[in-house]
Amino acid sequence: MNQTPPPINATKQMKKLMADHFLGLDRAKKQGSPKVAWCTSVGPAELLLAMGFEVYFPENHGALLGATRMATELIPAANAAGYSPDICSYLTSDVGAFLAGVTPLTKAYGIESVPKADVLAFNTNQCRDVQDWFDFYARHWKVPIVGVRTHRGVGEVKDCYVKDLAQQFKDMIPVLEQVSGNKFDIDRLRETVRLSKECTVRWRKVLEAAAQIPAPMTFFDYTIHMAPAVVLRGRQEAVDYYDLLLKEIEERIAAGISAVPGERIRLYWEGMPVWGRLRMLSELMSELKSAIVASTYCNSWIFEAFDEKEPFESMARAYTELFIVRDEDYKTRYIENWIKRFKIDGIIFHDAKTCPNNSNNRYALPQRLSRDLGVATVTINGDLNDLRCFSDEQAKTNIEALVEQILEQAA
Ligand code: SF4
């Protein structure tokens, strides 16, 4: 089928959910109740929800600053305040926006500012930047900050790591009780963990739908439809949303709808999205009849280990099993598995200038995968939010060269 695919109808519902999410946070901030907790994107959301907080995810705000192309102009304000241009550009664009008194939430939802935190909760499983980012706000508002410090470069997820992290989660409780005014209730935690697991199961199915040839959705769709898994996991709304989306995906597969009409090449995206260039890259991929069918990034919100029977231990395990936390051998095997299952022809590695944690081209992973699987790879230089680090022309030339190489190999 070679015509432009119809839009995904579920998007309307997702937009409504996101509007409700941000308006709910704004209301909580104005009323002073429920209390607002800031949480890192792969942080202890289940615990915060169980304690009765409205939960806000600044990385989601960072992505919005990138996608609306506000970030590049705002980063210098954070640099002037002492935050290096070389560190996470989510951090610098978010802090820059705060110092400049602007937010994309104003245009989108009529919200004046991001919700002031009553408490900030981080997990360093992804990087140290999140802690420094939250420290800025904790100092500014003089509010408590709590967090867990996760082991990094992990091969096997050992029981001793799980035990340590489970205890770190428990150690947060007294502060969370004091700020929220609510007593910790294990049954409420079991429920949010159960709902997060339900969300994960569905989100995985959504991602796995792209194993279908042709793929009914691509990376660019996933970067939009991942939002409920990021900001609403632990809540029934996210579960219902993915049921709705899955039903539509099944219909698209049955109707033979291809996200990239005339799909002839299947690619894997390794690294952060370039938020301000998603449209450009999506159009380029369509022109090249190449579908990006899988990515490490969108897979990062699959948390297999959640188990309501052992809420603390399973949270500890789920948040440590993530790709970003693991060693090079694990990462190699992980990508190999997706490459084989999704019948992928090539990999685009995005070397994001300000996020070494999500730039996996730097320790010979492309070379290992190329040698072991015969898969073509290319590295494009760029950034998640700082568009001064990204060249449309260079990215285009490199991706076109990758596609040519794949076509030549197949000829
Ligand atoms: S993982 Fe990268 S993009 Fe995410 S917060 Fe850390 S440095 Fe920033």
Side-chain angles (χ1 to χ4, degrees):
M1 183 169 289
N2 248 2
Q3 71 217 34
T4 307
I8 297 169
N9 293 325
T11 309
K12 287 189 217 98
Q13 173 62 9
M14 197 205 56
K15 286 186 176 163
K16 181 182 176 308
L17 287 177
M18 294 308 286
D20 290 347
H21 167 67
F22 285 114
L23 291 169
L25 281 158
D26 193 46
R27 214 168 27 248
K29 179 189 77 174
K30 287 178 177 151
Q31 294 171 350
S33 171
K35 298 292 181 192
V36 173
W38 286 29
C39 184
T40 49
S41 64
V42 279
E46 293 69 24
L47 180 57
L48 299 171
L49 282 171
M51 294 297 307
F53 288 100
E54 283 285 329
V55 185
Y56 171 75
F57 296 86
E59 284 151 83
N60 176 240
H61 189 246
L64 286 174
L65 285 161
T68 53
R69 289 182 289 282
M70 293 170 72
T72 305
E73 281 184 17
L74 293 165
I75 288 169
N79 301 152
Y83 289 91
S84 163
D86 292 332
I87 64 166
C88 174
S89 61
Y90 273 172
L91 184 166
T92 49
S93 48
D94 181 72
V95 168
F98 184 76
L99 293 172
V102 295
T103 167
L105 302 179
T106 306
K107 189 164 175 212
Y109 308 113
I111 292 172
E112 200 184 329
S113 64
V114 296
K116 176 183 171 293
D118 295 298
V119 65
L120 302 113
F122 64 84
N123 187 340
T124 59
N125 50 2
Q126 55 192 104
C127 63
R128 67 160 275 179
D129 298 58
V130 287
Q131 182 177 356
D132 293 285
W133 184 355
F134 280 21
D135 272 337
F136 167 85
Y137 288 101
R139 287 189 202 106
H140 182 84
W141 286 318
K142 299 186 177 42
V143 295
I145 177 165
V146 289
V148 295
R149 290 158 185 86
T150 299
H151 306 262
R152 305 253 306 149
V154 167
E156 180 197 348
V157 179
K158 295 186 176 157
D159 287 346
C160 58
Y161 303 156
V162 171
K163 206 169 154 207
D164 169 26
L165 286 164
Q167 187 57 47
Q168 291 192 50
F169 282 120
K170 288 176 188 169
D171 288 348
M172 289 180 177
I173 291 174
V175 176
L176 299 179
E177 284 186 329
Q178 206 218 329
V179 177
S180 68
N182 297 325
K183 205 83 196 114
F184 172 70
D185 176 348
I186 187 82
D187 290 330
R188 287 190 73 181
L189 181 61
R190 288 188 204 284
E191 179 61 3
T192 56
V193 167
R194 184 188 70 77
L195 287 167
S196 273
K197 176 67 185 254
E198 296 281 311
C199 175
T200 268
V201 168
R202 287 157 176 80
W203 177 234
R204 181 188 253 289
K205 280 190 191 156
V206 170
L207 291 167
E208 287 179 341
Q212 194 75 28
I213 300 176
M217 287 173 77
T218 71
F219 173 63
F220 302 102
D221 303 307
Y222 289 130
T223 57
I224 295 168
H225 292 276
M226 65 191 272
V230 179
V231 306
L232 298 176
R233 68 176 186 277
R235 299 170 61 141
Q236 186 63 43
E237 293 95 307
V239 178
D240 295 343
Y241 177 70
Y242 290 120
D243 279 340
L244 180 78
L245 182 60
L246 277 167
K247 190 162 169 289
E248 188 172 350
I249 290 173
E250 276 164 24
E251 287 162 9
R252 287 170 90 85
I253 292 172
I257 292 171
S258 175
V260 171
E263 174 191 305
R264 58 179 179 168
I265 285 174
R266 296 165 65 79
L267 299 172
Y268 186 98
W269 180 277
E270 208 327 291
M272 294 295 291
V274 186
W275 287 110
R277 283 293 180 270
L278 288 182
R279 179 182 291 256
M280 182 285 271
L281 288 166
S282 164
E283 287 172 357
L284 173 64
M285 299 319 298
S286 288
E287 276 166 34
L288 296 171
K289 298 194 185 324
S290 302
I292 300 178
V293 296
S295 71
T296 313
Y297 181 72
C298 295
N299 291 359
S300 300
W301 283 269
I302 298 175
F303 306 104
E304 301 286 4
F306 282 140
D307 180 353
E308 73 214 70
K309 291 198 279 311
E310 289 188 313
F312 285 106
E313 290 71 19
S314 72
M315 275 196 306
R317 194 169 282 283
Y319 287 128
T320 307
E321 280 180 354
L322 295 177
F323 182 92
I324 197 167
V325 187
R326 310 305 286 277
D327 67 8
E328 284 291 300
D329 280 348
Y330 176 89
K331 288 180 179 177
T332 310
R333 287 196 311 277
Y334 180 95
I335 296 181
E336 274 181 12
N337 178 27
W338 283 75
I339 296 294
K340 287 179 188 161
R341 284 177 52 219
F342 281 62
K343 303 204 171 20
I344 283 166
D345 306 298
I347 309 174
I348 299 171
F349 281 86
H350 172 207
D351 188 328
K353 172 86 168 69
T354 70
C355 180
N357 314 287
N358 272 314
S359 297
N360 287 294
N361 60 303
R362 298 183 185 184
Y363 299 92
L365 182 56
Q367 287 75 7
R368 285 197 299 279
L369 289 167
S370 195
R371 184 196 62 207
D372 296 347
L373 297 179
V375 67
T377 70
V378 75
T379 294
I380 60 167
N381 293 101
D383 192 53
L384 45 143
N385 268 12
D386 191 342
L387 290 178
R388 292 170 299 183
C389 307
F390 183 79
S391 154
D392 286 16
E393 278 315 307
Q394 246 174 42
K396 192 164 180 274
T397 306
N398 287 339
I399 292 171
E400 282 172 352
L402 174 74
V403 167
E404 262 173 45
Q405 186 193 341
I406 293 167
L407 290 174
E408 270 169 27
Q409 280 171 353

